[in-house]
Every structure is written in structure tokens, then in C-alpha cells.
């Protein structure tokens, strides 16, 4: 259930509150008036669902809503729907690096190495994160590593270090074989 009611939900509830036999219409009465199920009216009023089919015309014909009011409801729904579906996860990319690392892939690479070191802090010395080795590789081969950010914090990272252009080409075409 949506915490923020859509304009459509508010308008339906306002209509019910100011119309009907005793100054208030029930969901059942509104459902009958619009040719809908009571369940559909409930979903509309809770912002769980939105106008489908010829309901836009029935809102105009039976409730007296203007075309502009119906379109405003649709626009509001689309804006809320886009916003609510936007994930907090994103891949580290040029935009994120510009916003959070002053445009420096060097700083982003260092952050990814610190992340790996924090996650794998108990590794034997020969497997420890080696900034002198990995930092130049990460800066040179940016397409061979990635990180997932959540609320501006690194939560996952992976690397595929292929140093030969021929290996990169084989990998990208699915022809690289491990030896």
C-alpha cells in the first residue's frame, strides 16, 4: 500500500465524501455508479491500482470530472510510480564518480580496494589487497571491474582482470577458456 495517496485516490475519496444519499457515498455505491467492483474502488482509493480501460470516460460522464482533471491524475500517478520504482542500488559509473569522488576514478578505485580489504581482512599475506598492484590495473582497465552502490555506499565489487586485449576479445565473445 502506498503511503502517499495519488491524486486519483484523493479525488475519488473526496467525491465519495461529498456525494451520495446522506452526504456520503459508500464504495459499493461508487462501484455501481462507475461499473466497477468494490475491490477495484478500494484499490484505487489506496493508490494500489490506477485507471484502466474506459474508466477515464466514465469519470467524465458519471462523476463530472474534466479531461484536464483526469489527465492530471494520470500524470501524478506516473510521476509517483516512477519515483517509487527507482532502486537505491546502482552501478558505479562516471556520474557517480563525478558526484561522490570529485570525478576521480583513482579515488573510486581506492574506495573499492578499501571495501575489499574491509570485507576480506583475514586473508593470508599473499592474498591481501595490494594497492600498488591493483590501483594501476583498476585505473587502466576500468571496464574490467565494477561496484554496486547502495545509498552512496559500496556494497559489492567484482573484478575480471584480463590484461591482454586478445583475452578481453575472447571473453566478450564467450570464447575464453580457463586453463
Amino acid at each position: 500500500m502506498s503511503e502517499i495517496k495519488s491524486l486519483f485516490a484523493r479525488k475519488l475519496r473526496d467525491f465519495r465524501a461529498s456525494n451520495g444519499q446522506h452526504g456520503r457515498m459508500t464504495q459499493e455505491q461508487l462501484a455501481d455508479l462507475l461499473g466497477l467492483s468494490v475491490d477495484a474502488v478500494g484499490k484505487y482509493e489506496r493508490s494500489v491500482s490506477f485507471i484502466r480501460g474506459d474508466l477515464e470516460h466514465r469519470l467524465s460522464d458519471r462523476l463530472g470530472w474534466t479531461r484536464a482533471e483526469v489527465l492530471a491524475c494520470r500524470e501524478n500517478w506516473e510521476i509517483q510510480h516512477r519515483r517509487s520504482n527507482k532502486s537505491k542500488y546502482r552501478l558505479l559509473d562516471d556520474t557517480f564518480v563525478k558526484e561522490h569522488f570529485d570525478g576521480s576514478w583513482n579515488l573510486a578505485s581506492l574506495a573499492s580496494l578499501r571495501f575489499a580489504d574491509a570485507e576480506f581482512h583475514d586473508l593470508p599475506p599473499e592474498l591481501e589487497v595490494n594497492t600498488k598492484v591493483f590501483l594501476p590495473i583498476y585505473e587502466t582497465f576500468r571496464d574490467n571491474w565494477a561496484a554496486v552502490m547502495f545509498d552512496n555506499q559500496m556494497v559489492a565489487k567484482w573484478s575480471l582482470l584480463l590484461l591482454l586485449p586478445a583475452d578481453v576479445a575472447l571473453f566478450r565473445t564467450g570464447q575464453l577458456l580457463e586453463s
Side-chain angles (χ1 to χ4, degrees), residues 12-42 45 63:
L12 277 180
R13 292 189 76 154
D14 289 348
F15 181 85
R16 278 196 322 105
S18 60
N19 290 282
Q21 202 170 25
H22 300 289
R24 181 160 177 83
M25 184 181 284
T26 65
Q27 284 187 339
E28 290 82 6
Q29 291 168 326
L30 182 59
D32 287 343
L33 180 63
L34 292 173
L36 300 169
S37 69
V38 175
D39 185 52
V41 170
E45 288 188 356
L63 303 187

Side-chain angles (χ1 to χ4, degrees), residues 6 18 30 38 48 56 75 80 83 100 152-153 164 166 177:
S6 67
S18 60
L30 182 59
V38 175
V48 174
E56 286 184 10
E75 288 174 13
Q80 283 187 342
R83 189 178 304 135
H100 299 282
N152 303 329
Q153 181 177 349
L164 300 174
L177 301 176

Side-chain angles (χ1 to χ4, degrees), residues 90-94 96-97 101 103-116 133-149 154-163 168 171-172:
R90 67 187 276 195
L91 286 176
L92 181 68
D93 60 9
D94 286 331
F96 192 92
V97 169
F101 294 104
S104 170
W105 275 92
N106 177 276
L107 292 176
S109 298
L110 282 170
S112 78
L113 292 169
R114 282 193 299 272
F115 170 77
V133 170
F134 286 103
L135 189 59
I137 293 171
Y138 283 9
E139 288 180 300
T140 304
F141 300 100
R142 285 191 357 209
D143 289 344
N144 292 16
W145 71 279
V148 175
M149 311 304 289
M154 196 171 294
V155 295
K157 168 192 178 264
W158 61 93
S159 308
L160 179 62
L161 301 178
L162 301 171
L163 302 179
V168 172
F171 173 75
R172 292 187 191 275

